[in-house]
Amino acid sequence: MLFDTHAHYDDKKFSEDRDEAIERAYKSGVKYILNVSYDLKSSSESILLSDKFDFIYAAVGIHPHDVAAVDDSAVSTLEEYALNNKKVVAIGEIGLDYYYDNSPRELQRYWFARQIRLAKKLGLPIIIHDRDAHEDTFNIVREEEAGEVGGVFHCYSGSVEMAKELIKNNFYIAIGGAVTFKNARKVVDVAAFIPDDRLLIETDCPYMTPEPFRGKRNESSYVRLVAEKIARIRGVTTEYIARITTENAKKLFKIYTPD
Ligand code: NI
């Protein structure tokens, strides 16, 4: 049983065969999917997906790429979405992206802090996107005391040292398809290091496709390839990685289903 903690099934790359791709994931053993959002429209689509499919849960939030396009009322809309829908289990994805810089950095920082405050108000964990912004991301996490709700650094690309600090601050580390890439180094070290009770896996589908499908569209059924690679790195079975990462995600997102 696998838990894909980061998917984007509302993405237009799934518009031809969305339901089939989702059902394929379930049949392949992915029994939980968290669909993560990037703006208000995506947040409402994530909720619709969570209504339609028992095993899909939703995170609502504004991605750093998209913060320039929203106004302050977005915070209360997100709050309503979370309060009115039981399957909203996190706020995300939120954070900083200094690689693409699609929105002004000042605005990215403002919205990151603002959404952390919302998550704390709602008692929901956060899904963090951090690209080339490790220092500012961690500073805001500390200043805002985000550890109070905790959450996950998705598609983690930082160092082992930083991972240690994040874990001390009540965060989980999610490893995705990058760990399967032939030139992967840092993320392999991280995958070897993360303690059993802090590790999560994800696809970030339709992006970040693992080997041997790199270059094609990603989907949740490929999260098994991530689990397999981590199992090889850690010298344990794939089933063991599947079990602990599912338990961790259910605990983080407070999902109390029997198995
Ligand atoms: Ni994402």
Side-chain angles (χ1 to χ4, degrees):
M1 182 185 312
L2 293 149
F3 195 137
D4 180 2
T5 60
H6 199 108
H8 298 284
Y9 280 102
D10 51 303
D11 193 284
K12 61 180 181 309
K13 292 200 171 72
F14 287 112
S15 50
E16 299 289 309
D17 63 344
R18 181 167 293 109
D19 289 11
E20 288 92 321
I22 290 170
E23 276 153 22
R24 195 155 52 236
Y26 192 82
K27 282 193 194 119
S28 77
V30 180
K31 300 302 181 196
Y32 300 91
I33 292 173
L34 180 61
N35 205 76
V36 180
S37 306
Y38 55 89
D39 64 6
L40 290 180
K41 183 163 172 276
S42 163
S43 296
S44 71
E45 285 169 357
S46 291
I47 291 168
L48 288 176
L49 283 167
S50 75
D51 286 340
K52 185 168 180 184
F53 295 94
D54 269 357
F55 74 113
I56 295 187
Y57 295 79
V60 298
I62 315 292
H63 191 288
H65 286 344
D66 300 283
V67 294
V70 294
D71 62 39
D72 276 353
S73 69
V75 174
S76 45
T77 307
L78 291 173
E79 184 172 359
E80 270 169 48
Y81 285 164
L83 290 173
N84 296 330
N85 296 282
K86 282 201 182 68
K87 289 178 84 186
V88 173
V89 295
I91 298 296
E93 56 189 288
I94 63 175
L96 304 174
D97 193 313
Y98 293 175
Y99 179 78
Y100 286 109
D101 278 325
N102 285 357
S103 297
R105 291 183 180 184
E106 188 128 340
L107 213 49
Q108 293 189 39
R109 291 190 287 266
Y110 170 80
W111 273 95
F112 185 31
R114 192 94 203 257
Q115 293 181 94
I116 290 172
R117 282 175 222 150
L118 174 65
K120 287 172 72 178
K121 184 177 176 191
L122 295 166
L124 292 175
I126 56 180
I127 315 288
I128 296 182
H129 173 105
D130 159 23
R131 186 139 185 216
D132 288 1
H134 300 327
E135 201 183 330
D136 279 4
T137 302
F138 194 34
N139 284 340
I140 292 172
V141 160
R142 263 187 306 216
E143 279 161 23
E144 297 295 329
E145 297 177 356
E148 189 186 306
V149 283
V152 50
F153 273 70
H154 117 81
C155 199
Y156 183 73
S157 60
S159 63
V160 167
E161 289 314 305
M162 182 173 155
K164 283 182 188 164
E165 287 302 311
L166 298 175
I167 289 165
K168 263 192 236 160
N169 278 269
N170 194 27
F171 281 87
Y172 290 75
I173 306 293
I175 304 282
V179 76
T180 69
F181 297 170
K182 290 184 179 72
N183 58 357
R185 289 270 151 80
K186 203 155 78 167
V187 65
V188 168
D189 292 343
V190 169
F193 158 74
I194 304 301
D196 274 6
D197 63 349
R198 288 284 142 177
L199 177 68
L200 300 176
I201 53 174
E202 63 167 60
T203 58
D204 200 15
C205 67
Y207 311 102
M208 292 298 293
T209 313
E211 294 288 0
F213 302 113
R214 195 175 178 183
K216 302 206 176 92
R217 185 186 72 178
N218 199 1
E219 57 181 64
S220 294
S221 53
Y222 298 162
V223 78
R224 181 175 296 281
L225 298 165
V226 174
E228 278 170 7
K229 180 64 189 282
I230 296 174
R232 270 202 302 282
I233 293 167
R234 291 163 81 99
V236 296
T237 64
T238 303
E239 286 324 300
Y240 181 74
I241 295 298
R243 182 167 64 77
I244 62 167
T245 54
T246 299
E247 283 171 5
N248 292 342
K250 287 178 69 175
K251 187 173 170 205
L252 173 62
F253 301 122
K254 303 184 186 74
I255 295 171
Y256 305 111
T257 49
D259 52 20

